[in-house]
């Protein structure tokens, strides 16, 4: 039985459970093919109905779905020969960010990404995917290594935000993120950023400067969490859904605002229903964009990256 | 935040820090520093620029850039109405005033954040004007000084506010590549996305005494760790001790310090 955690997905989960039961009966020799067909159709219709009219808040819940694939799962599906490297050479190693080298289509690439934990112990060890300064500095070290050996960089974004704690402040959380923005803006190798789950503010952007910004269909990317925004602007945590609506944090929103280059469609029912399918969509997109970016001279690449971010925002001088 | 809400217009003011009752003029003549306890009151952006440029003289740049409310954001009030209210109260500059003038006779661009305009929050206008300021410095080989005073990114422009961090940092990367000096001056308060981008990226980071400087705000940290924060946490002196700042400088010495430091790089 699936653990139901998200109310709006409950009808889907119930039908899935029913299908699994019916399939088990079939294997026992009970003939229920007509009921099974009917339930499967009903399941498909229900998924289509719910997913065709997702609210922004519902997408937040999907982006945070407990079964949603995390960076390491994608890394193992998409790359070969992945070796994770550790430590920032300054203070420590932050398990909330993974970084290393791997091969993509046979060619060496650098990979960095936020990493959440699956069970309670891992969640705590990885600090719920909320990095400390060491994580950003480790990622920068690996990205500079990529630049030294002219390897492209693939970055996976999935964090509620950078960790707001005393130790993180003492060791310069703000400086660590800021320096990544500055350094990533100038690295003379292709950088592809994939927002797979939660793009939590500065903590996300700290790995988020690149030549292509791709985003999974049900991922979110925001200046502040809907909860934080509701507490500050509405002074009422109960208005979280309204805040999510107002923030325009979904993939279609960001495409329309010119922040991302491409929305990566998710498998039927969301990435958590078929992690392998999502990985293969991401892999195809990386392959396509990398092919284009590898043709661009390094200085032109950096100049275009500047132009890309320079154009973000809307203002008028009339 | 109650502390340091600036000097009220009345004849008398009360120091937020020591409670001393001061003549408004007495504080103004002292660069808005309490003569009794040295508490630094918050400056408006135009007061700041006047305090740093030679002869208090500067030319305001890029002041026609205005927000367009890209999300049609409405919380308890429409963002477009909020903008109008602040434009009426503070002026057209949004949360940043950029000036060109001289420091110690060297042409310099200084961008000062305006806390009175929506808490100095950074949206598209602040990002655009900072990028324009950096580009002017690149064109004319001027040094850049940014005086931060901000609660962080502006929520009402959503993700576009966040992207200004990337935009401004990329412009500063260009300045670094072209060997042009950028000095960051951090004043009370400097938090959130402003700290996590240009405020921490100075070739030199210089703060005024006692300024609140951090990534996360103190309330957010307290709610996360459920502990009271130690005294002096996230104040300038704390950051100096932890290696995040080059100097903590009294406002009376700030102009001279900037002149000396820019002199090293000119």
């Amino acid at each position: 039985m699936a653990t139901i955690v998200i109310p709006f997905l409950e009808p889907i989960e119930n039908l899935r459970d029913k299908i699994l039961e019916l399939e088990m009966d079939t294997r026992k020799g009970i003939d229920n093919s007509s009921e099974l067909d009917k339930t499967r159709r009903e399941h498909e219709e229900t998924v289509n109905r719910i997913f065709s009219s997702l609210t922004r808040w519902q997408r937040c819940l999907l982006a945070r779905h407990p079964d949603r694939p995390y960076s390491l799962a994608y890394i193992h599906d998409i790359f070969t020969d992945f070796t994770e490297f550790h430590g920032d050479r300054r203070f420590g190693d932050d398990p909330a960010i993974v970084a290393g080298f791997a091969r993509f289509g046979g060619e060496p690439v650098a990979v960095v990404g936020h990493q959440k934990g699956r069970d309670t112990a891992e969640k705590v060890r990885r600090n719920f995917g909320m990095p400390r300064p060491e994580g950003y500095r480790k990622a920068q070290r690996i990205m500079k290594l990529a630049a030294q050996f002219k390897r492209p960089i693939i970055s996976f974004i999935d964090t509620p935000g950078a960790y707001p704690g005393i130790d993180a402040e003492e060791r310069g959380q703000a400086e660590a993120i800021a320096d990544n923005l500055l350094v990533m803006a100038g690295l003379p190798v292709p950088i592809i950023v994939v927002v797979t789950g939660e793009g939590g503010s500065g903590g996300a952007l700290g790995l988020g400067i690149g030549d292509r910004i791709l985003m999974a269909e049900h991922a979110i990317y925001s200046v502040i969490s809907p909860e934080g925004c509701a507490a500050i602007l509405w002074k009422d945590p109960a208005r979280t859904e309204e805040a999510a609506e107002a923030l325009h944090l979904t993939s279609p929103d960001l495409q329309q605002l010119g922040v991302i280059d491409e929305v990566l469609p998710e498998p039927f029912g969301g990435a958590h229903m078929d992690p392998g399918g999502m990985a293969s969509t991401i892999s195809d997109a990386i392959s396509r964009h990398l092919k284009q970016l590898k043709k661009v001279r390094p200085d032109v690449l950096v100049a275009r990256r500047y132009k890309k971010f320079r154009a973000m925002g809307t203002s008028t001088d009339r | 935040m109650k502390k340091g809400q600036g000097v009220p217009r009345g004849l008398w003011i009360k120091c937020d820090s020591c409670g001393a009752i001061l003549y408004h003029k007495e504080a103004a003549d002292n660069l808005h520093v309490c003569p009794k306890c040295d508490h630094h009151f918050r400056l408006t952006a135009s007061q700041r620029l006047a305090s740093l440029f030679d002869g208090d003289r500067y030319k305001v740049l890029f002041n026609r850039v205005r927000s367009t409310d890209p999300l049609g954001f409405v919380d308890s009030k429409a963002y477009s109405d909020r903008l109008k209210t602040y434009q009426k109260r503070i002026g057209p500059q949004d949360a940043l005033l950029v000036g060109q003038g001289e420091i110690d006779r060297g042409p310099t661009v200084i961008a000062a954040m305006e806390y009175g305009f929506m808490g100095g929050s950074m949206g598209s206008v602040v990002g655009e004007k900072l990028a324009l300021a950096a580009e002017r410095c690149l064109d004319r080989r001027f040094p850049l000084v940014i005086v931060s005073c901000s609660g962080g990114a502006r929520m009402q422009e959503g993700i576009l506010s966040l992207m200004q961090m990337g935009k401004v940092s990329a412009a500063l990367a260009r300045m670094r590549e072209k060997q042009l000096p950028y000095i960051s001056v951090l004043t009370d308060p400097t938090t959130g996305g402003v700290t996590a981008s240009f405020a921490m990226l100075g070739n030199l980071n210089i703060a005024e005494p006692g300024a609140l400087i951090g990534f996360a705000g103190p309330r957010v940290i307290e709610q996360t760790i459920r502990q009271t924060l130690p005294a002096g946490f996230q104040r300038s002196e704390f950051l100096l001790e932890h290696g995040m700042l080059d100097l903590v400088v009294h406002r009376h010495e700030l102009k001279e310090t900037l002149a000396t430091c820019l002199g090293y790089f000119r």
Side-chain angles (χ1 to χ4, degrees), chain A residues 151-173:
Chain A
R151 306 302 186 206
I153 298 162
I154 317 295
S155 174
F156 293 94
I157 306 277
D158 187 15
T159 178
Y163 182 58
I166 292 183
D167 57 336
E169 295 286 329
E170 285 175 337
R171 298 196 296 273
Q173 186 74 288

Side-chain angles (χ1 to χ4, degrees), chain A residues 164 169-174 178 181 201-202 205 221 223 232 234 246 248 306 309-310 312-318, chain B residues 64-66 68 70-71 73 124 128 131 135 153 158 162-164 167 174 195-197 214-216 234 238 242 244:
Chain A
E169 295 286 329
E170 285 175 337
R171 298 196 296 273
Q173 186 74 288
L181 306 182
S201 196
L205 190 67
Y221 198 177
V223 66
I232 297 171
W234 277 268
H248 287 66
Y306 180 74
F309 278 84
R310 182 69 184 81
M312 288 189 194
T314 58
S315 54
T316 172
D317 58 3
R318 268 175 289 168
Chain B
R64 291 157 65 93
V65 183
R66 289 191 322 279
T68 59
L71 307 185
F73 197 100
S124 298
E128 181 66 20
E135 284 166 355
L162 189 73
M163 293 301 141
Q164 303 312 308
K167 172 158 125 185
R174 288 197 151 185
T195 321
S197 58
F215 172 67
Q234 292 185 315
F238 174 93
H242 285 85
M244 297 300 145

Side-chain angles (χ1 to χ4, degrees), chain A residues 8 11-12 15 42-54 58 268:
Chain A
F8 85 93
I12 298 173
L15 287 163
E42 202 185 332
H43 173 256
E44 195 177 321
E45 282 160 15
T46 308
V47 172
N48 282 331
R49 178 171 49 78
I50 289 174
F51 276 74
S52 65
S53 61
L54 289 172
Q58 286 172 335
F268 188 69

Side-chain angles (χ1 to χ4, degrees), chain A residues 16-61:
Chain A
R16 253 178 72 212
D17 289 345
K18 195 172 164 194
I19 290 169
L20 289 176
E21 273 172 46
L22 289 168
E23 282 174 347
M24 225 185 301
D25 288 349
T26 312
R27 276 197 293 278
K28 285 184 202 150
I30 302 165
D31 178 24
N32 54 9
S33 56
S34 70
E35 201 191 347
L36 188 55
D37 283 350
K38 190 177 142 253
T39 314
R40 281 181 177 147
R41 267 200 310 278
E42 202 185 332
H43 173 256
E44 195 177 321
E45 282 160 15
T46 308
V47 172
N48 282 331
R49 178 171 49 78
I50 289 174
F51 276 74
S52 65
S53 61
L54 289 172
T55 66
R56 292 189 172 101
W57 174 242
Q58 286 172 335
R59 288 204 200 229
C60 295
L61 296 174

